[in-house]
Amino acid sequence: MSIASEAAIQRILEGPKGPKIGAFFDFDGTLIDGFSAAAYFTDRIKGGHMGAKEIVDTLKLARKKDLSDDEFAEIIGDGIMEWAGQSEEELRNLWSRLWFDKVAPNMFPEMWKVIQAHKRMGHTIAVASSATPYQIEPIAAEYGIEHILATQPRIRNGKLTGGIIGKPLWGQGKANAVKAFAKDKKITLSKSYGYANGDEDIAFLQSVGCPSAVQPKPKLEALAIESEWPILRFPPRKRGPAKAMARTVGAYAAMGATFLAGLGYAKATGETRKAVDFITAMSSDAAFAVLGVKAKVINREGLNAHRPCVFLLNHQSKFDMFVMMHLVRTEFTGAAKIEARKVPGFGRFMEMADVAFLDRSNSNKAIDALKPAVDRLKKGLSLCIAPEGTRSWTPKLGPFKKGPFHLAMQAGVPVVPVVIRNAGEIMGRNDQTMRSGTIHVAILDPIDVSDWTESNMVERIAEVRQKFVDTLENWPEEEEKA
């Protein structure tokens, strides 16, 4: 039975709690769209390190629908043989680079939410994969997963030998590894959860009491239907659907038309601020309509009750900017990297909107660049800014910087936290395509910073950040209709 991730989460939250319940996740095709090894082979081909015969042989095996245990062992064995003589540090550096360049953009955000549900229930969570630990470690760190069950390369004197310890975690090998881990950790497998996509994962899924097929291959899908296992399906991440790509083009076109209309109004009347407010509100509304995006907002009235203010938002996606334009609508500005000033069209709009451009290569210049933003706040203009400073791969929060809070203190205005739950599902960190969906936003109570000092700022900022964490982990139930 096909279910949405929300139903899978509800199933988890209604089940048993505690560390004796395991949650085991396959990696390739389950936590990410596609296969991490593809990034490695592409990297080798581009670097001229893979000959024509090796490419042909690899493609032949990759195209086979059913790999035998021996064939898979040959593939992974050949791959690990290429690493012979390298240190673990070198391999970790390689896969860290491939993770950020190629793999991370393909994460399924829906699976992040499933993992968070297991965390809330105190379950013991592990990634169980035929891949090597070096491939899995970046996503385990991103998701906060402690345990990794993987194909283990053999190490001698700090270097990889080119061999593996035991057998690859493929087919029955993965099921055996999960059973051994469960025995060691005293986990009750009959009440535990498993998530996987491949036909080779059937033995693994049959070893747990609560299996789920994720983006299943044909044989696994047939078994899941017959056994009445939940089937989870998600929109592709490697490339946006054609409909989403068309809607993205349409959204930018609608925003561009609104910008031109606002620019014409500004030239005709000289009322730049009114033009900016028109562009901000109308262009975001048009983009939402074309994309098929709706917003469910908790405490929407909090957006206007305490202006001017510094709106603080958690930052996962370029779409966050459109969300804030849609919500705040008028009488606000923002801060951006100085490079954004050069973006055709949009850079001009940001200049019209009195955006503070930050040169992060020079701290003194950054301070000077923020002075106009303080002036705008004192004159009644609010400011939208992300205290994390950079986009994250998941809704997991990064550290908060002091800058936004210094602005509020200098201007004598409160900060208003704006918690955005799922912008990454609409547009991931490095995506160029925007998808349809519903954005969930919670406006928290304003925070007075008038009594903040340098001596207590770190502690106070940590308290504000914790409000974001608590809201993301325990989302309020009352939401307005989209």
Side-chain angles (χ1 to χ4, degrees):
M1 55 176 178
S2 294
I3 62 172
S5 58
E6 288 75 15
I9 291 168
Q10 192 61 35
R11 176 186 182 220
I12 296 163
L13 298 180
E14 291 174 352
K17 297 181 179 181
K20 289 188 177 181
I21 306 301
F24 300 94
F25 294 84
D26 177 43
F27 175 42
D28 292 303
T30 300
L31 294 180
I32 64 170
D33 186 7
F35 298 90
S36 55
Y40 172 68
F41 288 121
T42 300
D43 191 68
R44 288 190 64 210
I45 292 170
K46 287 183 177 179
H49 305 305
M50 200 170 181
K53 183 178 184 304
E54 186 180 357
I55 293 173
V56 171
D57 290 344
T58 301
L59 288 175
K60 282 182 179 178
L61 285 173
R63 287 173 179 169
K64 287 195 67 172
K65 291 184 178 180
D66 293 304
L67 287 173
S68 68
D69 289 354
D70 289 341
E71 287 172 329
F72 181 79
E74 179 184 346
I75 291 176
I76 198 164
D78 289 346
I80 292 177
M81 182 65 73
E82 291 291 334
W83 301 343
Q86 296 189 57
S87 68
E88 286 195 286
E89 181 181 2
E90 289 175 310
L91 266 297
R92 287 193 170 98
N93 289 338
L94 167 66
W95 282 102
S96 177
R97 174 175 63 81
L98 293 176
W99 165 257
F100 287 108
D101 290 348
K102 301 291 184 182
V103 182
N106 297 330
M107 289 189 297
F108 286 120
E110 298 87 351
M111 290 304 291
W112 183 88
K113 293 194 291 186
V114 170
I115 289 171
Q116 297 311 301
H118 283 293
K119 284 187 174 183
R120 286 177 61 185
M121 298 298 285
H123 296 163
T124 299
I125 303 172
V127 178
S129 171
S130 57
T132 64
Y134 319 114
Q135 294 164 256
I136 302 167
E137 284 169 357
I139 197 170
E142 184 69 33
Y143 285 176
I145 297 175
E146 179 182 358
H147 304 290
I148 296 175
L149 311 180
T151 300
Q152 294 290 337
R154 188 175 295 279
I155 309 294
R156 185 181 297 127
N157 298 324
K159 304 284 187 178
L160 276 72
T161 66
I164 64 174
I165 299 173
K167 294 184 177 181
L169 265 69
W170 172 270
Q172 189 62 46
K174 183 186 291 188
N176 292 342
V178 168
K179 290 176 183 177
F181 177 83
K183 183 178 180 180
D184 181 60
K185 298 294 182 181
K186 296 180 173 55
I187 290 170
T188 306
L189 277 181
S190 62
K191 296 182 180 179
S192 294
Y193 300 78
Y195 302 86
N197 76 303
D199 295 340
E200 73 280 358
D201 292 313
I202 288 174
F204 152 54
L205 290 176
Q206 288 176 329
S207 72
V208 300
C210 302
S212 291
V214 182
Q215 312 285 83
K217 292 182 179 178
K219 190 182 296 184
L220 175 58
E221 181 175 8
L223 176 63
I225 293 171
E226 179 184 344
S227 305
E228 297 185 345
W229 294 350
I231 297 175
L232 296 173
R233 303 185 193 277
F234 311 127
R237 304 305 299 184
K238 289 189 293 185
R239 182 180 180 184
K243 188 175 182 179
M245 295 172 70
R247 283 183 166 181
T248 299
V249 172
Y252 281 125
M255 295 182 76
T258 307
F259 172 73
L260 291 175
L263 188 63
Y265 177 84
K267 288 183 176 180
T269 65
E271 295 181 340
T272 302
R273 172 44 55 184
K274 284 188 177 181
V276 168
D277 290 346
F278 170 82
I279 293 169
T280 299
M282 294 300 104
S283 64
S284 58
D285 287 352
F288 270 52
V290 173
L291 291 169
V293 173
K294 298 179 180 180
K296 284 189 174 181
V297 185
I298 296 171
N299 188 31
R300 185 183 286 267
E301 56 272 19
L303 291 165
N304 298 306
H306 305 281
R307 295 206 198 184
C309 65
V310 175
F311 289 108
L312 303 176
L313 63 142
N314 52 313
H315 196 23
Q316 189 188 348
S317 167
K318 287 181 285 188
F319 196 71
D320 297 332
M321 174 183 62
F322 301 132
V323 173
M324 295 307 294
M325 291 168 64
H326 181 70
L327 295 177
V328 182
R329 306 187 72 76
T330 63
E331 297 295 322
F332 77 97
T333 187
K337 292 185 289 187
I338 196 168
E339 294 83 1
R341 179 179 255 153
K342 300 178 182 178
V343 177
F346 202 75
R348 172 71 183 110
F349 170 69
M350 288 192 286
E351 288 180 340
M352 289 174 59
D354 295 322
V355 167
F357 293 99
L358 311 183
D359 183 356
R360 293 178 179 172
S361 65
N362 186 315
S363 59
N364 292 327
K365 286 184 179 180
I367 292 172
D368 291 341
L370 286 176
K371 289 179 180 177
V374 174
D375 292 339
R376 300 300 185 270
L377 284 164
K378 289 181 177 179
K379 292 178 181 178
L381 206 62
S382 292
L383 179 74
C384 294
I385 192 166
E388 293 168 279
T390 188
R391 300 188 299 275
S392 60
W393 290 110
T394 69
K396 183 182 73 175
L397 287 181
F400 277 15
K401 300 180 184 298
K402 293 182 179 180
F405 303 95
H406 272 299
L407 281 173
M409 292 167 64
Q410 292 175 33
V413 301
V415 297
V416 175
V418 179
V419 186
I420 305 172
R421 182 162 67 163
N422 59 331
E425 295 178 28
I426 305 297
M427 189 180 198
R429 172 173 161 166
N430 288 354
D431 283 354
Q432 302 303 320
T433 300
M434 293 176 277
R435 298 166 170 82
S436 61
T438 300
I439 288 287
H440 298 265
V441 182
I443 314 301
L444 306 188
D445 293 336
I447 298 168
D448 182 4
V449 297
S450 60
D451 63 344
W452 286 28
T453 64
E454 282 294 334
S455 62
N456 66 20
M457 176 171 274
V458 172
E459 180 182 353
R460 293 293 185 86
I461 291 175
E463 292 172 356
V464 175
R465 183 181 179 278
Q466 190 60 43
K467 290 179 182 291
F468 278 80
V469 172
D470 293 343
T471 303
L472 286 168
E473 290 183 353
N474 300 282
W475 196 255
E477 293 184 2
E478 288 105 10
E479 294 187 65
E480 68 174 17
K481 293 182 179 180

